[in-house]
Amino acid sequence: MANLDKYREYHRLDDDEEDSMPAGEDDMLVHVPEGLKDSWHHITNLDNFFTRIYHFHQKNGFSCMMLSEFFELVQFLFVVIFTTFLFTCVDYDVLFANTFVNHTHFGSIERNKVTLPDAILPQDQCYQRIQKNGWIIFQLVMAAIFWLYRLVKVICNMLNYWEIRTFYIKALKIPTVELCNFTWQEVQQRLISIQREHQMCVHKKELTELDIYHRILRFKNYMVAMVNKSLLPIRFHLPGWGEVVFLSQGLKYNFELILFWGPGSLFQNKWNLHPKYKRAGNRLELAQHLSRTICLIGLANLLLSPLILIWQILYAFFSYAEIIKREPGSLGARRWSLFGRLYLRHFNELEHELQMRLNRGYKPASKYMNSFISPLLTVVAKNIAFFSGSVLAVLITLAVYDEDVLTVQHILTAITILGIVVTISRSFIPDEHMVWNPEQLLQCVLAHIHYMPDHWKGNANASETRNELAELFQYKAVFILEELLSPVITPLILIFCLRHKSLEIIDFFRNFSVEVVGVGDICSFAQLDVRKHGNPQWFSEGQTEASIYQQAENGKTELSLMHFAITNPQWQPPQESSIFIGHLKEKVQQDATNAPSAQLILSETPLAASLLSNASSAAPDDLLSSVLVHPILTASGLPSRDRHFVQPTSTATVAASILASFSTSQIPSRTQSHAAYSNRCPENVAYRSERTILEDSVSSSDTRFQNASHSALLSEYTNTEMSLHAIYMHEKHQQQSQLPRAVGMWQCPSALREHHVQPGASFSADQPPESLSGPSQLPLGGWAESEEEQEQSTRKPPVPRQREA
């Protein structure tokens, strides 16, 4: 039972695992300069403080933030008042000419036409209509209460962010007008320097980049981990449709309310779990309590659902009606779903970092989704477009010939509807110049989103793969429909689905929470500890002690570690993380020895030629394209420019060759423009060489790069380096994967409560509570993995994403 307690109990992270205050310095006196100690010494809630600092930077300062919140209040008032006016103060019989209006006393024939003031009721009559309708009065009262609540919140935010503004000016020495010229990493380095001088956190002598991320993303990391373990969101089967996943803004808000900051939540404050959730002894009672809390919140959602539904409909109508009329095809555009944003998010990835990465993946993902064509639907769409377009052309011609045609009843309605039908029909007609390359397009998508289930490899042309990506990359029309249905579906999910997972949620927070000195309770996955949560098939073999239950799915620990290290080059990783990064570097160097040189790869690639010329294309994008296109050229057997045949290579080998030549020493330092705050530690450089491909490519177009923004250029190369790592790690993982091919993408996870050990059971402290040999002991969630041949990466190499004009 000792081993059981060691595994099941929440534990405090040892001091040697995290940079903390040295022993004997707990009561150390800290000298704080006058003028700063009253405001920013020993800040009680550093989570809120760092989060506000981040939002202040991302939302461009105090004026922009307050103006945005002011207009949100005005928008709410406008929607409520304007909707009430439309329902109570407009005479629609007059407006639609169902009732005759007599204007003979004006002595003008033209005055007999109905005008807009004729359709508006007098003020007294409007008030009488409102007073007679109890439902409208109730809605107005509820809207007034909510608006006052929002007003109080805006006032509090104004006071809080004024303090943040003062902190930026006085402590960080960043004037408001210069805020847009500073990257977040530069602001973060100044925060770390301020901590050493003024002790914002008294529990630690120094803060690290990881500490700041942990406080800003404490709850977000838990959400990402629960999605990674398939604990959230809820999946259910619809007859005739199949398995669907539903996650709306309202449902996500309720998840966070129940788990993190609402009444009866698992956290007693912003940084600590309730002590009772850290012990396994009363897990059943805690699960029952959580189940009751979820049920009560679900019932509250059910009672408020009519009001929320009305607001959702009105807001959607005012937001999208004009856009749909002007651009009906906008509903066919796609967006990354809320589930997709959580599934694709790295641990410790800030919102702007995620958004930048998904924005880069938008075009290749759209091209991939649009490459699937239904021949039958194409034939039907062509004929519908022909018939509708013919009638529309006649109506428009008649209207141009004689404008009186527009006075015919419903003629404008017919023209509008026919225009929408033609636009929608044409969206189903493919481009006649499109080339069918799903494997290459999917590889381009992977380069930016960094995560892809194993069984997508080699099955990019399958409709199942497209449907699974559609859950991450949904139509905007589907998003709007989900938000409209959310007030009805959310209470049902909470009452009938989520509360039955209470025990799994309790076990998850106990098993995957650690206390870090100076930070508080965080998700253990956010520590990026390969030893505790690594996967042997993702370069962690021999370095991880994690059981299948403890492993993060899809290599999220390893990919998140690389992403954080590349994004924060001055971060000093713990020993285990440093060993993993060094091991990965050795693998890259070994593969690079058997690959063509980076210079040859670029010289043999058509897209790479533009990198070495004075063209206006961006160097990082072309560098990534070179990696994707080179295996195709070598596999084709075409001779190189010097008339010699090049040995066929894989994408992983080409990526390794570029990474081995990739040197951040040739790129300006992230903090070069603010050197006073950049000498804390040397950059965490993974790959260096005497003469790199970046040096060669940049030297030929110095003028172009000197005129480019320093921060933007550095960000582009950082993202390109991470994309290369993602491609390399996925390709090598595919070669190592020996798991049988899964039937579908969404593997049903074993319930967390199944890992509870029966009395008398024994096991190793680092193993899950029960044997994993049975069919019920599958990995907890994640993508199902598939068996692939090692030659798969060379059999269907990808092509680069075509650059848009």
Side-chain angles (χ1 to χ4, degrees):
M1 292 300 292
N3 288 337
L4 172 62
D5 294 339
K6 181 178 179 180
Y7 177 80
R8 304 300 298 179
E9 288 291 340
Y10 161 98
H11 65 281
R12 180 184 179 95
L13 197 65
D14 296 335
D15 288 344
D16 59 352
E17 298 183 35
E18 180 68 21
D19 182 21
S20 59
M21 186 177 294
E25 295 188 6
D26 294 339
D27 299 324
M28 180 179 60
L29 295 177
V30 181
H31 172 71
V32 182
E34 286 295 329
L36 291 179
K37 62 182 180 182
D38 294 335
S39 300
W40 303 302
H41 172 60
H42 190 188
I43 298 173
T44 304
N45 193 339
L46 277 174
D47 284 32
N48 283 347
F49 185 72
F50 287 154
T51 301
R52 287 171 184 153
I53 289 176
Y54 174 70
H55 288 162
F56 189 91
H57 175 267
Q58 293 299 308
K59 296 181 180 180
N60 303 307
F62 182 82
S63 299
C64 292
M65 295 184 68
M66 292 301 102
L67 190 62
S68 176
E69 295 203 4
F70 169 76
F71 278 114
E72 286 182 5
L73 292 175
V74 174
Q75 278 188 7
F76 184 83
L77 277 180
F78 172 79
V79 171
V80 173
I81 295 175
F82 188 52
T83 304
T84 305
F85 169 80
L86 292 177
F87 274 97
T88 61
C89 299
V90 178
D91 191 341
Y92 290 97
D93 289 333
V94 175
L95 186 64
F96 297 145
N98 296 328
T99 301
F100 177 74
V101 179
N102 188 4
H103 293 296
T104 56
H105 58 280
F106 285 93
S108 174
I109 297 178
E110 295 181 358
R111 190 64 182 88
N112 288 330
K113 291 184 178 181
V114 177
T115 61
L116 191 59
D118 295 332
I120 299 177
L121 297 175
Q123 185 175 358
D124 296 338
Q125 192 172 350
C126 288
Y127 288 153
Q128 290 178 3
R129 282 193 171 190
I130 294 175
Q131 292 173 358
K132 292 179 180 179
N133 195 324
W135 176 243
I136 292 180
I137 294 177
F138 174 73
Q139 288 182 332
L140 291 176
V141 171
M142 296 298 295
I145 294 174
F146 178 77
W147 189 84
L148 290 175
Y149 163 75
R150 287 287 301 146
L151 178 62
V152 173
K153 191 172 181 180
V154 167
I155 294 174
C156 293
N157 286 340
M158 182 175 64
L159 298 177
N160 291 328
Y161 281 107
W162 183 261
E163 180 183 356
I164 298 300
R165 176 184 178 274
T166 306
F167 180 80
Y168 264 87
I169 296 174
K170 293 185 177 181
L172 298 182
K173 309 298 181 184
I174 300 178
T176 303
V177 294
E178 296 292 333
L179 181 62
C180 59
N181 297 327
F182 284 77
T183 64
W184 168 248
Q185 277 70 25
E186 292 170 344
V187 174
Q188 186 173 251
Q189 289 304 313
R190 297 198 173 200
L191 273 176
I192 294 173
S193 300
I194 291 296
Q195 164 65 17
R196 293 198 298 270
E197 298 174 6
H198 307 305
Q199 289 294 308
M200 295 178 294
C201 175
V202 297
H203 300 288
K204 301 187 68 173
K205 188 174 183 179
E206 289 192 359
L207 288 177
T208 66
E209 292 84 352
L210 194 59
D211 293 335
I212 297 175
Y213 274 70
H214 280 164
R215 289 189 174 276
I216 297 175
L217 299 170
R218 186 189 305 274
F219 298 152
K220 186 67 68 176
N221 282 327
Y222 274 109
M223 291 291 292
V224 173
M226 285 188 284
V227 170
N228 181 254
K229 284 296 189 179
S230 294
L231 186 58
L232 295 177
I234 306 299
R235 296 182 173 276
F236 48 91
H237 186 84
L238 288 181
W241 189 269
E243 190 178 58
V244 297
V245 56
F246 181 85
L247 183 62
S248 64
Q249 292 283 4
L251 184 59
K252 179 172 171 286
Y253 176 86
N254 278 275
F255 286 159
E256 295 172 351
L257 177 71
I258 292 169
L259 299 176
F260 303 124
W261 50 267
S265 66
L266 279 63
F267 278 76
Q268 63 180 357
N269 50 44
K270 291 289 186 178
W271 56 89
N272 282 121
L273 275 170
H274 279 285
K276 59 185 178 181
Y277 292 106
K278 302 177 182 180
R279 298 183 294 270
N282 55 347
R283 57 193 291 271
L284 296 179
E285 292 81 0
L286 294 175
Q288 292 176 358
H289 174 73
L290 180 60
S291 178
R292 287 193 298 269
T293 302
I294 295 174
C295 186
L296 290 176
I297 293 180
L299 291 175
N301 276 268
L302 189 61
L303 292 176
L304 295 175
S305 59
L307 295 175
I308 301 175
L309 180 62
I310 292 174
W311 167 254
Q312 293 281 64
I313 294 174
L314 293 175
Y315 188 79
F317 175 79
F318 290 128
S319 299
Y320 298 108
E322 189 275 335
I323 298 177
I324 294 173
K325 179 182 179 300
R326 176 166 40 90
E327 299 178 5
S330 61
L331 291 178
R334 291 185 177 270
R335 68 187 304 277
W336 297 103
S337 65
L338 291 178
F339 167 65
R341 296 179 70 86
L342 288 174
Y343 174 80
L344 299 175
R345 191 168 193 156
H346 294 295
F347 294 122
N348 299 315
E349 184 175 23
L350 292 172
E351 187 65 29
H352 76 281
E353 297 169 352
L354 172 68
Q355 188 63 45
M356 187 182 303
R357 185 162 57 87
L358 296 184
N359 287 346
R360 288 185 172 88
Y362 183 88
K363 285 186 177 180
S366 296
K367 290 181 179 179
Y368 171 78
M369 298 300 291
N370 294 335
S371 66
F372 285 81
I373 305 169
S374 172
L376 180 62
L377 187 59
T378 300
V379 174
V380 174
K382 286 181 178 180
N383 285 274
I384 292 178
F386 172 78
F387 294 125
S388 302
S390 300
V391 178
L392 179 62
V394 171
L395 294 178
I396 293 177
T397 303
L398 293 174
V400 172
Y401 177 75
D402 189 349
E403 63 180 7
D404 290 336
V405 175
L406 297 176
T407 62
V408 177
Q409 190 175 18
H410 300 313
I411 193 67
L412 286 177
T413 304
I415 292 176
T416 302
I417 293 176
L418 288 173
I420 293 175
V421 171
V422 170
T423 303
I424 295 176
S425 299
R426 287 177 178 173
S427 66
F428 292 100
I429 301 175
D431 183 5
E432 60 182 3
H433 304 294
M434 182 181 64
V435 179
W436 172 253
N437 286 316
E439 287 290 346
Q440 289 74 26
L441 289 174
L442 193 59
Q443 190 78 352
C444 292
V445 175
L446 171 63
H448 297 290
I449 67 175
H450 300 173
Y451 292 100
M452 185 180 77
D454 290 342
H455 68 270
W456 283 10
K457 183 70 173 179
N459 293 309
N461 60 340
S463 58
E464 178 187 348
T465 302
R466 180 187 183 277
N467 294 336
E468 290 165 359
L469 181 59
E471 292 187 355
L472 310 177
F473 194 56
Q474 63 183 178
Y475 282 116
K476 184 176 291 185
V478 175
F479 166 75
I480 296 174
L481 182 61
E482 286 184 352
E483 293 300 321
L484 292 177
L485 296 178
S486 178
V488 178
I489 298 179
T490 295
L492 302 180
I493 291 179
L494 295 178
I495 296 173
F496 298 106
C497 299
L498 183 63
R499 70 188 188 94
H500 298 302
K501 288 195 170 187
S502 299
L503 188 58
E504 300 174 46
I505 294 174
I506 295 297
D507 288 341
F508 176 89
F509 275 86
R510 183 182 65 257
N511 295 330
F512 298 116
S513 292
V514 294
E515 181 183 359
V516 178
V517 175
V519 178
D521 294 325
I522 64 170
C523 181
S524 59
F525 290 103
Q527 283 295 106
L528 308 178
D529 192 341
V530 175
R531 179 173 58 88
K532 294 182 178 179
H533 297 298
N535 190 320
Q537 293 186 358
W538 287 87
F539 298 90
S540 299
E541 186 174 5
Q543 303 178 45
T544 181
E545 303 172 358
S547 63
I548 296 179
Y549 171 66
Q550 296 170 302
Q551 294 171 5
E553 308 296 335
N554 310 310
K556 187 172 281 286
T557 300
E558 292 80 4
L559 286 167
S560 297
L561 172 59
M562 293 306 302
H563 177 268
F564 191 85
I566 293 172
T567 306
N568 298 273
Q570 294 187 342
W571 174 58
Q572 292 294 312
Q575 181 179 1
E576 293 81 4
S577 300
S578 298
I579 293 175
F580 172 82
I581 295 175
H583 174 69
L584 179 61
K585 174 184 174 181
E586 293 177 0
K587 289 285 187 182
V588 169
Q589 295 289 354
Q590 291 175 5
D591 289 340
T593 57
N594 300 322
S597 65
Q599 188 70 26
L600 177 62
I601 292 172
L602 292 181
S603 65
E604 293 298 327
T605 305
L607 286 179
S610 63
L611 176 64
L612 304 178
S613 66
N614 292 325
S616 59
S617 56
D621 282 345
D622 287 338
L623 185 65
L624 182 60
S625 299
S626 302
V627 174
L628 296 177
V629 77
H630 188 268
I632 298 178
L633 299 180
T634 57
S636 65
L638 296 176
S640 62
R641 291 184 176 182
D642 58 358
R643 305 296 182 180
H644 290 85
F645 286 91
V646 181
Q647 186 71 20
T649 56
S650 66
T651 306
T653 304
V654 177
S657 179
I658 297 294
L659 283 173
S661 298
F662 209 90
S663 172
T664 55
S665 62
Q666 302 299 330
I667 304 176
S669 172
R670 177 177 281 107
T671 54
Q672 182 179 358
S673 58
H674 306 283
Y677 296 89
S678 62
N679 52 12
R680 172 175 171 263
C681 58
E683 289 189 358
N684 176 28
V685 179
Y687 308 101
R688 292 188 180 274
S689 61
E690 293 294 331
R691 186 170 182 267
T692 69
I693 193 61
L694 290 180
E695 180 182 10
D696 297 333
S697 61
V698 173
S699 61
S700 62
S701 54
D702 289 334
T703 304
R704 173 161 57 92
F705 285 104
Q706 288 174 358
N707 296 332
S709 169
H710 164 80
S711 300
L713 179 63
L714 183 61
S715 176
E716 289 293 332
Y717 276 107
T718 299
N719 283 279
T720 301
E721 183 178 0
M722 183 59 212
S723 296
L724 293 173
H725 277 95
I727 293 172
Y728 175 78
M729 294 173 72
H730 271 274
E731 289 290 334
K732 300 300 291 185
H733 166 70
Q734 286 286 339
Q735 297 175 12
Q736 297 175 5
S737 177
Q738 300 296 327
L739 296 180
R741 181 179 298 274
V743 176
M745 165 184 172
W746 306 110
Q747 178 176 319
C748 180
S750 58
L752 275 171
R753 58 173 168 266
E754 293 177 359
H755 292 280
H756 181 63
V757 182
Q758 301 297 328
S762 61
F763 52 82
S764 173
D766 295 318
Q767 296 296 325
E770 62 270 62
S771 173
L772 298 173
S773 60
S776 61
Q777 284 78 29
L778 295 173
L780 184 62
W783 303 100
E785 296 179 340
S786 61
E787 182 181 10
E788 296 288 345
E789 299 291 337
Q790 292 188 356
E791 294 82 10
Q792 183 68 31
S793 59
T794 59
R795 189 167 65 248
K796 291 187 179 182
V799 296
R801 171 170 61 89
Q802 298 295 327
R803 295 189 53 78
E804 298 290 339

